Amino acid sequence: MAKYALKRILLLIPTIFLVCLIVFVLMRSIPGDAVDAIVTRMTKSGQTVDAEAVRVRLGLDKPWYEQFVIWLGQVCRGDLGDSFFQFQSVGDILWRQLPISLELGIITLILSNLISIPLGLFCAAKQDSIPDYTIRIIAVILMSIPMFWIATLILFYPAQWWGYAPPVVYVSFWKDPIQNLKMFLVPGILGALTQAGMQLRFVRTQVLDTLRQDYVRTAYSKGIKQKTVLFRHAFRNAMIPVITIIGGSVGALVGGNMILENIFNIPGIGTQMVTALGQRDYPVVQGCVLVMTVFVMLVNLIVDLAYKWIDPRVKFD
């Protein structure tokens, strides 16, 4: 396992390099750049600014490949650069906003698993019954409806009917846990419902496939209770594909709730990335993408290694 893990870690390096290169090139291919935004902003405020001087100060006067090499060298030294607009280092910005995105992602992940796994097992145990059909229809509806539409309705109608709206000013959990959860609970539930719809159907399918195996029929023939067969035999052996789906959800903890963060004014990495894209704040966008990429790939590695713990028969090449 150690050899496999080392090989996977080494493969992360060229993958991260390619992702960074693609994002670097695409950002500079978008019409308009940071200099245009800075000049426009300063001109509107009545200041006179030399666009070429700004371009030189930001290092944007060099060819893109030279800019990339310089930025890559800084990253290797642990320096993600400085924001063009916020007058802070990208590392400080991400360090401040990463816990916020993680909190929303963890709430979403916990709620989605609490909903999908028990209901998936229930649907498998009650295959083709009225509750099974009902839950599956609801799951398809949750998967089909755009999340931004539901979130907009959640913000609009309660405010119209009852004068209630979720808090839009972020308060740290350590400062005021109740106020913090009031802000995160609604978007967390909305994100969880979408994920749970997909995971529920996947759990049901995998458990049903396992229940059709010979060793499960043998367990039933021995008089073992359905509950015991379902949890001790079927569920554990069906977990490897399910863990893959859950692992994808874990990988989305950072930046995966970009739409919800923007709608509910949660100052996480998703909100920061949308703002930076609009401003053409290259260092911030590149830093966000780098952090997301590393996080997703490390989670995928951990998920792959977890297969061995779930099923000792799994062998790594």
Side-chain angles (χ1 to χ4, degrees):
M1 183 183 291
K3 183 179 178 181
Y4 172 80
L6 179 61
K7 182 169 68 174
R8 285 289 302 275
I9 292 172
L10 291 176
L11 287 174
L12 296 181
I13 298 174
T15 306
I16 294 172
F17 174 83
L18 286 175
V19 171
C20 291
L21 178 60
I22 291 170
V23 172
F24 200 93
V25 173
L26 288 178
M27 281 299 299
R28 283 153 181 77
S29 302
I30 301 174
D33 61 8
V35 175
D36 296 333
I38 292 173
V39 171
T40 301
R41 177 181 297 185
M42 297 183 71
T43 302
K44 286 182 178 179
S45 63
Q47 303 179 53
T48 302
V49 60
D50 183 358
E52 192 59 34
V54 174
R55 192 175 301 278
V56 171
R57 183 173 64 83
L58 297 179
L60 299 177
D61 57 319
K62 302 179 178 65
W64 71 265
Y65 50 85
E66 188 174 341
Q67 295 178 41
F68 179 71
V69 171
I70 294 172
W71 177 78
L72 197 62
Q74 291 177 336
V75 171
C76 293
R77 296 193 300 270
D79 180 11
L80 296 178
D82 297 321
S83 169
F84 291 163
F85 296 89
Q86 300 185 46
F87 308 106
Q88 299 180 61
S89 70
V90 176
D92 290 341
I93 295 171
L94 296 181
W95 183 255
R96 183 176 64 251
Q97 296 179 321
L98 181 61
I100 300 174
S101 291
L102 281 175
E103 181 182 356
L104 178 59
I106 290 171
I107 291 173
T108 301
L109 180 67
I110 292 174
L111 292 177
S112 66
N113 289 323
L114 287 176
I115 296 169
S116 63
I117 293 177
L119 287 180
L121 288 170
F122 175 79
C123 290
K126 304 294 183 181
Q127 182 185 10
D128 295 333
S129 64
I130 293 178
D132 177 33
Y133 283 122
T134 304
I135 293 172
R136 287 161 58 193
I137 290 171
I138 294 173
V140 172
I141 292 173
L142 291 175
M143 293 167 57
S144 304
I145 298 177
M147 183 49 57
F148 70 87
W149 184 73
I150 300 179
T152 304
L153 295 182
I154 292 294
L155 284 176
F156 179 76
Y157 283 109
Q160 285 288 103
W161 294 340
W162 306 301
Y164 170 79
V168 294
V169 178
Y170 173 73
V171 178
S172 171
F173 179 83
W174 309 111
K175 185 177 181 180
D176 189 343
I178 302 300
Q179 189 70 11
N180 177 273
L181 289 177
K182 284 181 179 179
M183 184 177 192
F184 280 82
L185 196 56
V186 174
I189 291 173
L190 291 176
L193 289 175
T194 302
Q195 290 185 19
M198 177 181 63
Q199 289 179 192
L200 182 155
R201 293 176 61 83
F202 203 79
V203 170
R204 176 186 180 277
T205 301
Q206 294 302 317
V207 172
L208 283 176
D209 286 344
T210 307
L211 288 173
R212 298 188 183 102
Q213 300 298 317
D214 291 338
Y215 69 88
V216 175
R217 297 193 186 96
T218 302
Y220 276 125
S221 67
K222 291 179 179 180
I224 300 176
K225 295 181 179 179
Q226 183 185 37
K227 182 178 179 181
T228 303
V229 173
L230 197 63
F231 283 96
R232 292 190 179 180
H233 298 280
F235 182 59
R236 180 166 183 175
N237 287 282
M239 275 300 290
I240 288 184
V242 174
I243 285 291
T244 304
I245 296 296
I246 295 175
S249 302
V250 175
L253 288 180
V254 177
N257 290 310
M258 189 178 299
I259 294 175
L260 291 173
E261 285 184 10
N262 279 273
I263 292 176
F264 289 92
N265 198 37
I266 296 174
I269 286 184
T271 300
Q272 180 60 65
M273 189 167 179
V274 171
T275 303
L277 281 168
Q279 295 176 332
R280 306 296 190 268
D281 198 342
Y282 302 151
V284 174
V285 175
Q286 291 157 193
C288 289
V289 172
L290 178 62
V291 170
M292 292 178 190
T293 302
V294 172
F295 186 82
V296 169
M297 298 187 72
L298 288 178
V299 168
N300 287 336
L301 173 60
I302 294 171
V303 168
D304 288 347
L305 296 178
Y307 293 161
K308 185 71 173 179
W309 174 73
I310 295 170
D311 187 351
R313 295 171 299 177
V314 174
K315 294 182 179 180
F316 297 115
D317 295 330

